[in-house]
Structures are given as structure tokens and as C-alpha cells.
Amino acid sequence: MIRTYIPVFSADYGDAERHAAAHHFLHDPFMTAHKHVNEFELQFKTRLGRKHAVMTNSGSSAVLVATAAMEWKPGTKVITPAVTFATTVAPLLQMGLEPVFVDVEEGTYNIDPQKMVDTMNKEKVNACVIPHTLGNPVDPNVWGFFRDSIEDACDALDSSINGETCGTFGNYSCFSFFAAHHITTGQGGMVLANDNRLGRLMYKYASWGRDCWCRAGQDNLCTNRFDYEIDGVEYDHKYIFSVPGYNVAPLDVCGVIGKLQLAKADNYKVIRQRNFAVLDTAFADLDGLVIRPRSLPGADVNWFGYPITLKRGNRKTITQRIEARGVATRLMFGGNVTRQPMFRGHKINAPFGLEQSDRVMQHTFIVGCNHVISEEEIHRVASIVYDEVLRG
């Protein structure tokens, strides 16, 4: 049955998730992060081929932890695209860092590599926080320019380019398991690293800033827990705080759900790519009216949504008509995020302008291609959007 309202983003919770969650609440002794979170971390980092993983309560917290664990000095310049989600760039402001904004490319909605290089040379920047917008992989050559890099792969689970998986490029990589994402744990995120030192740091910052690296249910991995001192006072290693950290741990039930969702991820990707292809084929006749999304050669995209940039017509009018006919729309996150109220009073450093980002903010919207949309429904989405864009 076709739903009367087709969402842009939607979660797929089945009986398996509900029953497993109920069993956990009824029978497992731990509500806080414990064995199920540990097991999900292991499964997820194995899937990505990374050495270290820490689950958090959200993708935003994953980016926060990664930014803190970089331990950049206040005032450090960090390159980031202007088209982004608010909490990708918010930690830069919160930690006294200076975002250096780069425009995005038409159609990919990702950071423009040439403008990025020009900005790096002009501003002497060697750090970045860069997302794969809507799961569309950034040019893989980008990462080699930076000494310090945070890869926001929150929208990019199982996307790849030239056979390399998104979430394996940055010093830190971050994922989201919010209900809107490719898989969900209700709320949740993950930060990953390969470097042992960075792996220890991210765990510290995610776990109150505590020096101890024992996970939930573990004790005395260092084998000398009671032999530590603070200013000559003997002190339990579990209560030595070496960095100003956070408590961003998820509930253990998030790990229960995550393991079941991860087993469905391959099938979800097949459906998303089918839905994207239906929309893209249908909108091919609209090339005079819209800019369709494009990806780079060698990209295998697990699309988070289908973006449309209007060449003609009023976005508000068109999207309101689409919504009235039962198809949800969303804007491209923060658009040109530098224009958001959160940046009032902050210096905006964008050496080569943000013309394309402004265009995205004014003319771009997103419709769904998520794995909960059936084949019959995606053809309805395509027909309605086509009609209303053509109508103008």
C-alpha cells in the first residue's frame, strides 16, 4: 500500500529489533553501554577495516569527540565546506578554532578541490573537517593534502570511490545512526581511527576524559590500576582524568539494534540505489530546469537523498506543492552555513567566495530515496516532483 505521505528520511525497524530490544530491557543487567555496544563497535570497525572504534550517542557527538581529540590549539585554521550540517562545524567554534570556508562544486555538493588547494596555499592550512555530502564521495585526492583530517562520513555508510570505502580516508572518521540514516540505532554515532595514539585519545574524550582505557565490564587492563599517583597521592587509575572530556556514551540497547541493522545494510543499499536511479532517469528530461546530482568517476554511492537544484521557479512554491501532494522535501542542511544565525558575531573566512554555496541555499531541495520507499512509491515521488518542477 502506498503511503499518503512519503518521507525524505525514514527508519526501518522490524520485529527482530523490537523483540531484541525488549529482551534486553527484560533480561540484561546493564542499561548503559556494555557488551552489546562493544560487540557493535567490533563489527562496525571490522566492516570498515579500521583498528579503533568508539560508539557515541549521536553522529554529532562523534564529530565533537574527533575534533576534541585532534587537540588543535585555539586559533588553528581548519578548512571545511560551507555547505554542511551545523554540528559538523559547530565544534570548531566551540573550541576556539577558525573555520576557513571553501565553496562546493555544482552537482556533487562537495568541497571544490581546486578552490580548496588555493585556500590552503593562501591561508597556510593543514587541517580539515570535510563531509561526503548526501553520501556522495569527496575526491579521494583531497585527503592527501592534509596532515590532520576529520572525515564526516555520517551520510556515507557503504559509499566508496575507486574501491576505497568512505570512512577510511581521514585520521578520524565519523558516522551517524540517527533514525534518518542508512542504518539506525535510534540515536547513535561512531568515531573511528587507525592510529593507536588517536584511538586512545578519542576514547578518552568520549569517556569523561578519563585516563583509564578499560571498556565497560573490564578492569585493570593496565595491570597496575592502584599504582598511579596524582601529586604524590596514590590514586585509582579509573579516576584519573587526563583531558577535559565528555560523557557521550549510548545505551547498550543501541548496540543491540545496531548489530541487527548492520546485517541489513547491504540490502538497504540496493534499495536506495534503485530508488535513486528511478528518480534520476525520470528527471533526465528536466535538465533545462534543474541541476541533477552527479558523482565522480569510480564512485559507488549509497545515496542519503536525492538533491535537486532549480534553474527556474521559486523553491518555496514548488516544494509546498510537492508536499501538498504527499511527498516530503527537505533543504540541503544549513545551505551556506555561514549565513546561519549561529555565525553571527564570528569572523567568516572564505578567501575565494561562496557563490555556489549561496546558490544551494537559495535553490536546492532534497527528496527521498531511502530504503523504506517501495518501488511503487518511488515512481509516485518521481511523477509528482516532475510535474511540479515542470509547472514551475
Side-chain angles (χ1 to χ4, degrees):
M1 181 180 294
I2 297 180
R3 292 168 289 180
T4 57
Y5 189 72
I6 302 171
V8 176
F9 310 117
S10 186
D12 175 42
Y13 294 109
D15 287 342
E17 287 90 345
R18 294 185 179 93
H19 292 162
H23 184 276
H24 170 76
F25 286 126
L26 289 170
H27 300 289
D28 281 6
F30 291 95
M31 298 290 282
T32 54
H34 203 257
K35 68 175 183 178
H36 294 293
V37 165
N38 293 347
E39 289 169 359
F40 181 49
E41 288 172 342
L42 176 60
Q43 290 181 11
F44 197 82
K45 72 181 181 181
T46 300
R47 187 181 184 94
L48 271 291
R50 305 220 97 180
K51 291 181 181 178
H52 305 282
V54 173
M55 190 178 184
T56 60
N57 57 9
S58 70
S60 297
S61 292
V63 176
L64 176 68
V65 166
T67 307
M70 276 298 187
E71 297 189 328
W72 288 317
K73 294 179 180 179
T76 297
K77 293 182 177 182
V78 183
I79 277 181
T80 195
V83 173
T84 190
F85 197 75
T87 52
T88 298
V89 70
L92 302 179
L93 301 182
Q94 293 160 348
M95 295 175 196
L97 306 168
E98 183 183 336
V100 181
F101 290 99
V102 176
D103 209 0
V104 296
E105 292 182 299
E106 181 180 281
T108 72
Y109 304 96
N110 283 324
I111 194 166
D112 185 311
Q114 184 57 59
K115 291 180 180 178
M116 182 201 75
V117 172
D118 293 342
T119 301
M120 290 180 70
N121 292 335
K122 184 177 186 298
E123 297 291 319
K124 311 301 181 189
V125 187
N126 55 28
C128 72
V129 180
I130 296 178
H132 302 281
T133 306
L134 296 179
N136 195 12
V138 170
D139 187 329
N141 295 309
V142 159
W143 309 102
F145 286 99
F146 296 99
R147 182 189 66 201
D148 297 333
S149 56
I150 297 174
E151 178 187 5
D152 180 349
C154 286
D155 298 347
L157 178 62
D158 291 338
S159 287
S160 65
I161 186 162
N162 300 333
E164 297 185 74
T165 304
C166 293
T168 62
F169 299 117
N171 297 124
Y172 285 118
S173 56
C174 304
F175 288 86
S176 174
F177 310 125
F178 182 63
H181 286 260
H182 296 81
I183 65 170
T184 184
T185 60
Q187 289 280 2
M190 194 84 75
V191 55
L192 303 101
N194 260 358
D195 181 85
N196 292 336
R197 183 186 69 86
L198 294 180
R200 285 281 299 278
L201 279 171
M202 72 182 187
Y203 184 64
K204 285 183 181 183
Y205 278 98
S207 305
W208 303 281
R210 194 166 59 176
D211 197 63
C212 175
W213 59 87
C214 293
R215 296 297 178 100
Q218 297 176 330
D219 278 311
N220 205 26
L221 286 183
C222 64
T223 71
N224 57 341
R225 171 184 164 188
F226 298 105
D227 295 333
Y228 286 79
E229 291 186 355
I230 301 177
D231 289 338
V233 179
E234 294 176 344
Y235 223 75
D236 185 344
H237 193 213
K238 279 185 172 291
Y239 293 96
I240 294 177
F241 300 92
S242 55
V243 297
Y246 311 95
N247 177 17
V248 293
L251 296 175
D252 209 37
V253 71
C254 294
V256 172
I257 297 170
K259 289 183 288 182
L260 293 168
Q261 286 274 300
L262 197 60
K264 301 179 180 181
D266 290 340
N267 186 54
Y268 287 163
K269 179 178 178 179
V270 171
I271 298 170
R272 283 175 177 269
Q273 290 186 325
R274 177 205 69 195
N275 288 347
F276 183 92
V278 168
L279 296 176
D280 204 48
T281 299
F283 300 154
D285 290 342
L286 297 176
D287 279 350
L289 302 177
V290 303
I291 297 169
R292 288 185 294 147
R294 66 180 179 87
S295 54
L296 299 178
D300 178 24
V301 188
N302 191 11
W303 287 96
F304 187 55
Y306 190 99
I308 298 167
T309 298
L310 297 171
K311 294 180 179 179
R312 190 192 75 183
N314 180 275
R315 182 180 62 189
K316 178 181 177 181
T317 300
I318 290 171
T319 55
Q320 284 183 328
R321 292 200 309 256
I322 291 170
E323 293 262 354
R325 294 180 65 182
V327 174
T329 65
R330 292 291 185 271
L331 301 188
M332 182 65 86
F333 308 133
N336 178 352
V337 75
T338 70
R339 295 183 177 272
Q340 292 285 346
M342 65 183 279
F343 275 94
R344 288 175 186 162
H346 290 278
K347 174 185 176 182
I348 305 299
N349 187 354
F352 294 95
L354 300 173
E355 179 181 355
Q356 184 60 30
S357 301
D358 282 336
R359 188 178 189 182
V360 169
M361 190 165 196
Q362 186 171 355
H363 299 296
T364 301
F365 67 97
I366 301 168
V367 294
C369 62
N370 69 78
H371 51 269
V372 181
I373 299 176
S374 69
E375 189 166 6
E376 188 175 5
E377 286 176 327
I378 199 65
H379 283 284
R380 180 183 171 211
V381 172
S383 177
I384 290 171
V385 174
Y386 184 97
D387 288 348
E388 298 305 335
V389 169
L390 192 63
R391 181 180 167 190

